[in-house]
Amino acid sequence: MSRTTRTRLRLGLGASAFLLASGLIPSPAHAEDVTDYSITVDPNTKGAKIDKTMYGVFFEDINRAADGGLYAELVQNRSFEYSTADNTSYTPLTAWTVSGSAQVVDDDGRLNARNRNYLSLGAGSSVTNAGYNTGIRVEEGKKYDFSVWARAESGTALTVSLQDADGTLAAARRVNVTKSGWARYKATFTATRTSSDGRLTVATSAATALDMVSLFPRDTYRHEPNGLRKDLAEKIAALHPGFVRFPGGCLVNTGSMEDYSEASGYQRKRSYQWKDTIGPVETRATNSNFWGYNQSYGLGYYEYFRFAEDIGAMPLPVVPALVTGCGQNKAVDDPALLKRHIQDTLDLIEFANGPVTSEWGKKRAEMGHPKPFHLTHIEVGNEENLPDEFFARFTQFRAAIQAKYPYMQVISNSGPDDAGSTFDTAWQLNRDAKVDMVDEHYYNSPQWFLQNNDRYDSYDRSGPKVFLGEYASWGNAFKNGLAEAAYMTGLERNADVVKLASYAPLFANEDYVQWSPDMVWFNNHASWGSANYEVQKLFMTNVGDRVVPSTATGTPSLLGPITGAVGLSTWNTSAAYDDVKVTGADGNTLLSDDFSGDAGQWTHTGGGSWEIQDGQYVETSDTAENTMVSAGDPSWHDYDLHVKATKKFGKEGFLVAFGVKDTGNYYWWNIGGWNNTQTAVEQAVDGGKSTLISKAGSVETGRAYDVDIKVRGRQVTLYLDGQEWGGFTDDKPAEPFRQVVTKDEKTGDLIVKVVNAQSSAARTAIDLGGAKVASKARVTRLAAAPDAVNTETNTAVAPVTSTFDGVTDRFTYTFPANSVTFLRIRQK
């Protein structure tokens, strides 16, 4: 039960809106259906204070969010640094086409030690760059600044041109290379027509060395020449975020912790280290991005601090803790290296806040910003799966930081999941050490978000505060945004515990996607906010300063038993199954298969390959994911499932499913998952999975395990080799009607925020507790079909504003089906 009191319910004139017994999802209803609710507001009691920084954004270079995205550079692989270390398909000439002779060189003639490669272009030869997506985007009448570092022994002239398949996009420019040593040369183009398919060509009449071939739009966000792509930056600015978390994510806690130097062998696969990313762009290190491409660090810490300042957001950097995560899970045991990283973190704070007379404050001033950036929060580590090892290092970071900068809030984390042994251990360590704030991350199904609105109601008010640094439901449809909006009402209600929150990831280039869903999508010529973006924007621009206590009635619901067929599956593993038996609660056999014949009772709906081998049903691939086969009746309930399972070879264990309705809706017991390190029960709803119970555990190859699952009502008990492993009760309703009320101290407005994530309207009696209010309310609403998705050409989910004239201290308002509605009510 959440703090939102469940009081009496009144059914409306239409059909009442029930939650489906099987999935707890609001049932379909006709447009005229109405369910009655009531909201009671207590305007005379002060609720939790909401910090100005409550909602922010998390920028990580994933999905080409930086190079090819927010960083405005139009040339891909401008420094010829691409490598197979970044991506097995890469070469130093990826994105370039050579006419004539050209060779990428790594020798002592390079531009500088940290910029290892350069291009040796033969006489009468040229190179052409393809940019990102379909090409280089230029717009008619706009200016584009070209630059290149070049060296020619006897002097030469470069001819630089912009064209697409239809011809010239700007008048070609002649660039005279006059020095035998490296020098930077510039030119400016004015586009004569618009194209998204442009190509930049550099041709030479004599042998020339080239590096840092660059083309920037003159029209960038705030700061040129190393600026940000305007439309993407403006979409972030429009959110008015309270903070910007940066740079990761998995970029922070993966790869080598060494620096980029001769001493370390110029390691490419490194954690994101801030000193690599400042200074002149031609001297910045290159790095292999964890997400499978190269990152140039043209967008680095200085640009990040400037951008946060530009949009009025608090900077929140994340530094490595020397414990890798994101599947790597290794603690780096090197005291000298740890000491260096701790000093780097102290230097980062000095770079942000130090006076110009300090070593790193001077470097900031030299880059163009003598004033400090007013850094107050810093996060150490990201999603470490080794909580004890992480915390041993975190405490050393924290001690050093707070000794020198006692005002600095040092943020810890609780691992990559919303629950489980790692989460519990990490939280206990954080509580015992009285850390300032703990960063939680989770990606779950819409149902999970509808079920867990009360998550923070029971958190210790005197313990560490919560930073919800990464969260999202699995999808970019409006139903996902609705579930997240419902959850955000719980975040605001608990603003005394949840101090910061940011949806993640922020950006995705549609042609370079490693992770989905994402808040903002783009290509080389357009960008568009997802339905989730519109939800975030509505909340972030209408936060309020304080929670006004309120209660609401809930939705009538029926909790029927867990129903569904049974299934077998694997994940990057070959496994064999035998002696499957399903027995009803009355003792009758519902299914029995010892695979002595064929597999005719089973339907293959996943990947991989299944066949009968020696009286066992075997999935033979160790590279396929989710290879589900299922059998039985989706209406089955209250049964016992027995399976004998054996791992043959591969990375993980085996999966036994129950409550299987279809390919996107089921439960499975994942035994030996996560690279054979954990065993957990996961629930899939519309394809998105949530973890219900998890423990550390692995399985032995070649050993036969007896797996038994007992389903009774909504209670499930699990047995491994005859011993009870654990159980759970899945009885939390996915409440579709959620609300919170806040107050804007500046205007005096009461902001009534209501989410109605169901297909019937919510006729609601609102009692403002005697508050004296104006009769007109300003209404901002998002309403669309649950499956509506915003695209480049169609904005199906967008805010609509109107006025409601009928407000008194007690009035009735009908919130449409599938809607998020904010009523701003002026108090007299």
Side-chain angles (χ1 to χ4, degrees):
M1 223 26 111
S2 73
R3 263 191 219 167
T4 305
T5 307
R6 305 291 185 238
T7 56
R8 65 185 180 87
L9 305 171
R10 296 172 296 153
L11 296 181
L13 297 177
S16 60
F18 290 99
L19 299 183
L20 284 179
S22 57
L24 310 182
I25 295 296
S27 61
H30 299 294
E32 68 272 14
D33 284 350
V34 177
T35 303
D36 280 349
Y37 297 88
S38 65
I39 296 173
T40 303
V41 182
D42 181 2
N44 299 314
T45 301
K46 282 190 173 182
K49 181 179 181 296
I50 306 175
D51 294 345
K52 297 291 186 185
T53 52
M54 172 76 179
Y55 294 122
V57 295
F58 166 42
F59 179 88
E60 178 176 9
D61 188 359
I62 184 174
N63 308 315
R64 283 282 185 193
D67 296 332
L70 183 62
Y71 187 48
E73 174 66 77
L74 296 173
V75 175
Q76 183 178 176
N77 190 18
R78 66 182 176 187
S79 193
F80 311 101
E81 296 290 343
Y82 276 26
S83 163
T84 53
D86 310 322
N87 189 297
T88 55
S89 68
Y90 282 0
T91 76
L93 282 171
T94 293
W96 293 93
T97 301
V98 176
S99 177
S101 64
Q103 181 181 3
V104 175
V105 181
D106 175 4
D107 64 14
D108 291 341
R110 63 179 64 87
L111 181 59
N112 59 67
R114 287 158 66 83
N115 195 328
R116 306 296 293 170
N117 289 350
Y118 66 94
L119 186 72
S120 176
L121 188 62
S125 300
S126 66
V127 284
T128 298
N129 191 265
Y132 297 94
N133 300 95
T134 57
I136 291 172
R137 167 71 173 183
V138 296
E139 295 181 45
E140 183 178 355
K142 291 194 173 182
K143 293 184 181 298
Y144 297 84
D145 292 319
F146 168 83
S147 67
V148 64
W149 283 82
R151 185 189 71 207
E153 295 303 324
S154 57
T156 187
L158 302 178
T159 301
V160 188
S161 58
L162 271 170
Q163 67 285 324
D164 64 9
D166 294 328
T168 300
L169 293 171
R173 301 303 307 271
R174 179 185 173 91
V175 176
N176 292 317
V177 179
T178 58
K179 297 181 180 180
S180 59
W182 286 105
R184 188 175 185 227
Y185 301 92
K186 301 177 183 180
T188 298
F189 291 95
T190 301
T192 54
R193 55 188 180 86
T194 295
S195 175
S196 298
D197 309 316
R199 300 290 187 269
L200 176 74
T201 297
V202 180
T204 183
S205 57
T208 311
L210 303 177
D211 206 346
M212 298 295 290
V213 182
S214 174
L215 187 70
F216 260 86
R218 177 75 58 84
D219 188 18
T220 59
Y221 187 82
R222 298 287 180 98
H223 302 292
E224 41 124 346
N226 195 46
L228 305 181
R229 179 170 151 176
K230 195 170 184 178
D231 62 325
L232 296 183
E234 286 176 343
K235 279 188 168 55
I236 304 176
L239 296 169
H240 298 290
F243 66 88
V244 182
R245 179 176 180 251
F246 175 96
C250 290
L251 302 190
V252 166
N253 68 334
T254 54
S256 167
M257 298 293 163
E258 300 286 351
D259 62 1
Y260 191 63
S261 67
E262 183 178 6
S264 67
Y266 294 103
Q267 295 185 42
R268 292 290 292 258
K269 294 187 175 182
R270 309 183 316 283
S271 63
Y272 196 111
Q273 300 174 46
W274 78 273
K275 288 180 180 178
D276 287 340
T277 76
I278 65 166
V281 291
E282 67 273 8
T283 68
R284 298 182 190 182
T286 189
N287 201 0
S288 172
N289 183 294
F290 173 81
W291 298 107
Y293 51 91
N294 177 273
Q295 51 189 352
S296 71
Y297 287 146
L299 172 56
Y301 256 83
Y302 177 75
E303 290 76 23
Y304 153 63
F305 279 131
R306 287 295 297 258
F307 181 55
E309 181 181 66
D310 286 342
I311 63 177
M314 176 181 80
L316 204 165
V318 187
V319 298
L322 274 72
V323 178
T324 58
C326 302
Q328 297 181 0
N329 302 337
K330 180 182 178 181
V332 179
D333 188 13
D334 185 335
L337 192 58
L338 176 62
K339 183 178 179 181
R340 193 267 286 175
H341 274 268
I342 291 172
Q343 185 59 51
D344 280 356
T345 302
L346 297 175
D347 292 344
L348 171 60
I349 298 170
E350 184 175 286
F351 178 75
N353 294 349
V356 296
T357 54
S358 66
E359 177 185 0
W360 292 99
K362 181 181 179 182
K363 291 183 184 298
R364 181 194 68 239
E366 289 171 348
M367 293 187 71
H369 200 283
K371 293 182 179 179
F373 285 116
H374 306 295
L375 180 66
T376 58
H377 293 62
I378 195 164
E379 184 171 355
V380 177
N382 169 76
E383 290 189 12
E384 281 71 25
N385 259 314
L386 304 172
D388 293 309
E389 293 86 342
F390 159 72
F391 211 75
R393 291 155 179 79
F394 170 83
T395 53
Q396 295 183 62
F397 276 88
R398 184 174 70 153
I401 293 168
Q402 293 188 334
K404 189 169 184 180
Y405 302 102
Y407 62 85
M408 191 67 57
Q409 283 211 31
V410 185
I411 301 172
S412 180
N413 75 80
S414 59
D417 301 305
D418 62 85
S421 58
T422 296
F423 177 88
D424 292 340
T425 300
W427 254 106
Q428 191 60 54
L429 291 167
N430 286 309
R431 276 191 294 266
D432 291 346
K434 296 181 171 56
V435 303
D436 296 323
M437 191 176 294
V438 178
D439 187 1
E440 293 189 354
H441 295 178
Y442 38 82
Y443 298 89
N444 289 319
S445 67
Q447 169 148 321
W448 186 94
F449 285 96
L450 292 175
Q451 288 177 315
N452 286 278
N453 177 274
D454 62 349
R455 176 180 176 88
Y456 297 108
D457 290 3
S458 59
Y459 270 48
D460 182 1
R461 274 33 216 174
S462 62
K465 303 305 181 185
V466 173
F467 172 22
L468 182 49
E470 297 184 33
Y471 74 98
S473 69
W474 289 112
N476 277 144
F478 188 48
K479 62 186 176 185
N480 301 97
L482 285 169
E484 291 153 7
Y487 194 71
M488 293 171 79
T489 66
L491 300 182
E492 290 192 6
R493 186 176 65 251
N494 289 286
D496 57 328
V497 170
V498 182
K499 307 305 287 184
L500 306 169
S502 51
Y503 179 101
L506 176 60
F507 282 130
N509 185 318
E510 66 175 353
D511 291 334
Y512 308 92
V513 180
Q514 295 87 44
W515 183 283
S516 182
D518 304 284
M519 198 196 301
V520 176
W521 291 79
F522 65 93
N523 50 39
N524 66 352
H525 62 274
S527 60
W528 56 98
S530 64
N532 318 66
Y533 172 86
E534 296 298 343
V535 165
Q536 293 291 324
K537 185 177 179 181
L538 183 58
F539 274 84
M540 292 167 77
T541 54
N542 293 278
V543 182
D545 302 285
R546 188 174 292 278
V547 175
V548 180
S550 60
T551 58
T553 52
T555 304
S557 61
L558 294 176
L559 294 178
I562 291 174
T563 61
V566 298
L568 311 170
S569 190
T570 60
W571 199 284
N572 289 331
T573 305
S574 173
Y577 296 92
D578 203 356
D579 298 336
V580 178
K581 189 172 184 179
V582 181
T583 307
D586 57 5
N588 290 327
T589 299
L590 302 175
L591 172 71
S592 181
D593 200 337
D594 63 3
F595 302 108
S596 57
D598 59 24
Q601 298 185 80
W602 298 84
T603 301
H604 184 192
T605 57
S609 179
W610 291 82
E611 59 185 61
I612 301 291
Q613 293 181 2
D614 301 324
Q616 295 181 311
Y617 201 18
V618 181
E619 198 288 307
T620 59
S621 170
D622 67 345
T623 58
E625 299 177 348
N626 193 3
T627 63
M628 181 85 81
V629 292
S630 60
D633 191 328
S635 67
W636 280 354
H637 61 88
D638 297 292
Y639 55 77
D640 296 326
L641 167 62
H642 172 80
V643 180
K644 191 175 288 292
T646 306
K647 173 182 176 178
K648 294 178 74 67
F649 53 89
K651 295 180 180 178
E652 307 210 343
F654 35 79
L655 301 126
V656 179
F658 56 98
V660 179
K661 295 180 179 62
D662 53 44
T663 56
N665 295 275
Y666 54 85
Y667 302 80
W668 66 21
W669 191 5
N670 188 347
I671 304 172
W674 295 271
N675 288 321
N676 205 14
T677 62
Q678 292 186 64
T679 294
V681 176
E682 298 176 281
Q683 181 185 17
V685 178
D686 292 337
K689 290 195 289 290
S690 302
T691 300
L692 303 182
I693 181 173
S694 175
K695 298 179 184 180
S698 60
V699 300
E700 300 173 23
T701 300
R703 175 184 163 189
Y705 290 83
D706 285 308
V707 178
D708 290 277
I709 301 172
K710 181 179 181 179
V711 181
R712 294 294 184 272
R714 302 203 69 79
Q715 171 70 39
V716 178
T717 310
L718 306 113
Y719 302 85
L720 196 59
D721 284 340
Q723 299 296 312
E724 184 173 332
W725 176 86
F728 65 93
T729 303
D730 183 19
D731 62 354
K732 294 186 74 172
E735 173 61 68
F737 184 83
R738 296 292 188 184
Q739 59 80 37
V740 70
V741 181
T742 65
K743 182 179 179 180
D744 185 327
E745 299 285 6
K746 184 176 181 180
T747 64
D749 289 354
L750 292 174
I751 312 173
V752 180
K753 310 173 186 184
V754 177
V755 181
N756 183 28
Q758 62 185 326
S759 53
S760 61
R763 183 168 51 202
T764 307
I766 301 175
D767 184 345
L768 296 179
K772 295 181 179 179
V773 293
S775 63
K776 290 185 178 181
R778 194 171 81 220
V779 182
T780 307
R781 176 183 298 145
L782 298 169
D787 292 328
V789 175
N790 286 351
T791 67
E792 179 183 348
T793 57
N794 179 38
T795 306
V797 181
V800 175
T801 58
S802 62
T803 301
F804 174 69
D805 189 1
V807 179
T808 63
D809 68 330
R810 293 185 179 185
F811 66 101
T812 298
Y813 190 92
T814 298
F815 297 95
N818 302 306
S819 66
V820 184
T821 306
F822 281 25
L823 302 173
R824 291 192 72 111
I825 301 171
R826 181 65 54 86
Q827 293 190 90
K828 293 181 179 178

